[in-house]
Amino acid sequence: MSETLTELNFERQLSPEPRSAAERQEILADPGFGAYFTDHTAVIDYSAGSGWHTARVEPYGPIALDPSASVLHYGQEIFEGLKAYRHADGSVWTFRPERNAARLNRSAQRLALPELPEPAFLEAIKQLVDVDQEWVPSGDGESLYLRPFMIATEAFLGVRAAREVSFRVIASPAGNYFGGEIKPVSIWISRNYARAGRGGTGAAKCGGNYAASLLPQLEAEAHGCKQVLFLDQDNGNAVEELGGMNVFFVFRDGSLVTPALSGSILEGVTRDSVLQLGRDRGMNVQERTITLDEWRDGVASGDITEVFACGTAAAITPIGMLMDETEKIGSADAPAGEVTMAIREELLGIQSGTVADRHGWLHRLA
Ligand code: COI
């Protein structure tokens, strides 16, 4: 680790043109998801010779990149997603950030990027939220979405791991990911495209996985669905995950089931938290293979009573119907399931400080 980073010495250059309080309030009144950004960004640069260096907070704005920067050609990029929540007393907290720091480093290993020490990850987030804390909304279900990411900045077209890299954090006020009220979403089964293959990058949070999901996502949208479901690549029957979320099943017998981590599924922080909340509720929590056949039969027989998607951005979202050209499983007008909504309320309650944080998941930022 470089000297600068050991001391976590972030230089701070404030924006000469921050948004006015009135402009900020207008944005916070209806933030949507991912459309507006705060006034600053946190940055730490890396070079093979000096390690991580030049930690700083600077005004939000375009990044100057050489046109030959490897991220632009070979997609050497990873990212994370976590949120800052405002509590009733005005304090600002985030949720299990050490999990994001660890996952960033697992993704870094897979994408041949340098690992970032956890204290530097946490400090970058703290620094950014400190300077932009007025941007953390206080409305029900609202938060400041934090997007850490790492890109290969070296100007070089040879295909090898870049020797110059930049780690950055940007922040965006967020309401409901799917917009409007929480209601069950319809999901499109991707028959022609897989998200990940054996030995691929499915377990890493890298831009390429999401780029590969966009065409099937368009297919989903063309059929009125909000997200796409990917099946395993081997026999196309085991449920893996949605375009940007993990998936859970509630059974009539009190089981809570999610696909086991197989090397091609993203290890979601919300996924892990839901597993714990399920255990806390005395549910029989299982991480195992669950097939499309079991989904279809379980819904038909009533054994599967609820299905939901989870992720940092969308928290917990009920799934009403799963469909493709040939079949429809469930119903688009199904009401949100009771267990789904109870787990959602509990999770959001812990995050927003209205439910006891019995697992020590919260981390104070400001
Ligand atoms: C998240 O929930 O943070 C995600 O990964 C979804 C996203 C890419 C918007």
Side-chain angles (χ1 to χ4, degrees):
M1 209 193 308
S2 70
E3 200 184 318
T4 316
L5 206 62
T6 314
E7 294 163 1
L8 298 171
N9 178 19
F10 277 71
E11 300 244 323
R12 200 174 273 197
Q13 186 203 335
L14 294 182
S15 169
E17 297 176 320
R19 253 68 55 85
S20 68
E23 285 172 305
R24 200 173 53 237
Q25 282 321 317
E26 197 183 324
I27 292 171
L28 293 184
D30 185 17
F33 182 86
Y36 304 99
F37 298 91
T38 65
D39 294 312
H40 297 89
T41 173
V43 188
I44 314 177
D45 289 325
Y46 172 92
S47 57
S50 347
W52 291 105
H53 62 89
T54 324
R56 59 198 186 275
V57 168
E58 61 184 30
Y60 183 93
I63 301 174
L65 271 184
D66 194 285
S68 66
S70 19
V71 64
L72 301 177
H73 302 271
Y74 309 126
Q76 201 186 1
E77 185 268 357
I78 56 176
F79 68 95
E80 275 301 320
L82 67 168
K83 286 175 167 174
Y85 307 89
R86 187 173 299 284
H87 287 191
D89 65 358
S91 58
V92 178
W93 302 73
T94 192
F95 185 75
R96 310 186 78 185
E98 65 293 339
R99 288 243 155 195
N100 296 90
R103 188 173 62 187
L104 180 86
N105 283 338
R106 291 197 299 277
S107 302
Q109 279 176 12
R110 182 63 185 85
L111 272 285
L113 284 161
E115 291 184 39
L116 179 72
E118 179 185 304
F121 179 92
L122 298 179
E123 188 62 16
I125 284 165
K126 197 167 170 29
Q127 290 280 334
L128 180 60
V129 171
D130 182 47
V131 72
D132 280 338
Q133 56 184 281
E134 302 293 332
W135 284 91
V136 182
S138 53
D140 206 22
E142 293 180 344
S143 58
L144 183 66
Y145 184 77
L146 303 170
R147 169 56 62 85
F149 62 106
M150 197 188 287
I151 54 174
T153 50
E154 184 180 359
F156 179 65
L157 287 185
V159 182
R160 62 150 169 77
R163 295 177 185 149
E164 283 168 30
V165 167
S166 183
F167 170 77
R168 290 169 178 264
V169 188
I170 54 175
S172 174
N176 177 11
Y177 183 76
F178 290 115
E181 296 291 295
I182 299 300
K183 52 178 195 289
V185 294
S186 295
I187 305 291
W188 178 253
I189 308 169
S190 175
R191 296 282 186 189
N192 300 322
Y193 306 101
R195 177 180 169 278
R198 208 187 341 263
T201 56
K205 203 160 176 69
C206 61
N209 289 343
Y210 295 79
S213 77
L214 299 180
L215 181 59
Q217 175 70 26
L218 281 180
E219 212 176 81
E221 286 164 16
H223 290 87
C225 294
K226 293 274 192 198
Q227 276 274 305
V228 59
L229 169 75
F230 291 106
L231 302 169
D232 73 296
Q233 226 215 323
D234 292 335
N235 58 18
N237 195 25
V239 172
E240 293 234 304
E241 66 177 85
L242 307 184
M245 278 164 252
N246 296 117
V247 59
F248 273 86
F249 300 84
V250 178
F251 282 69
R252 181 164 53 184
D253 69 2
S255 309
L256 181 66
V257 177
T258 195
L261 299 173
S262 58
S264 57
I265 293 179
L266 191 77
E267 190 173 347
V269 178
T270 310
R271 175 186 180 279
D272 185 76
S273 310
V274 167
L275 288 170
Q276 184 59 52
L277 295 180
R279 277 182 221 111
D280 295 352
R281 305 175 80 81
M283 298 182 81
N284 171 16
V285 169
Q286 300 169 19
E287 294 174 77
R288 63 165 170 87
T289 301
I290 178 155
T291 63
L292 195 54
D293 295 339
E294 186 178 355
W295 187 337
R296 182 186 302 109
D297 296 347
V299 168
S301 68
D303 284 345
I304 293 178
T305 50
E306 302 175 30
V307 189
F308 64 86
C310 74
T312 298
I316 291 176
T317 304
I319 295 177
M321 184 170 69
L322 178 69
M323 63 176 280
D324 66 4
E325 279 109 346
T326 60
E327 65 177 330
K328 289 191 166 124
I329 302 173
S331 150
D333 326 307
E338 256 175 55
V339 177
T340 303
M341 293 312 276
I343 294 179
R344 180 186 159 87
E345 291 309 311
E346 187 172 17
L347 181 67
L348 268 54
I350 294 171
Q351 292 168 334
S352 60
T354 57
V355 170
D357 175 24
R358 57 185 181 277
H359 296 290
W361 283 340
L362 294 181
H363 176 104
R364 187 159 184 178
L365 292 174

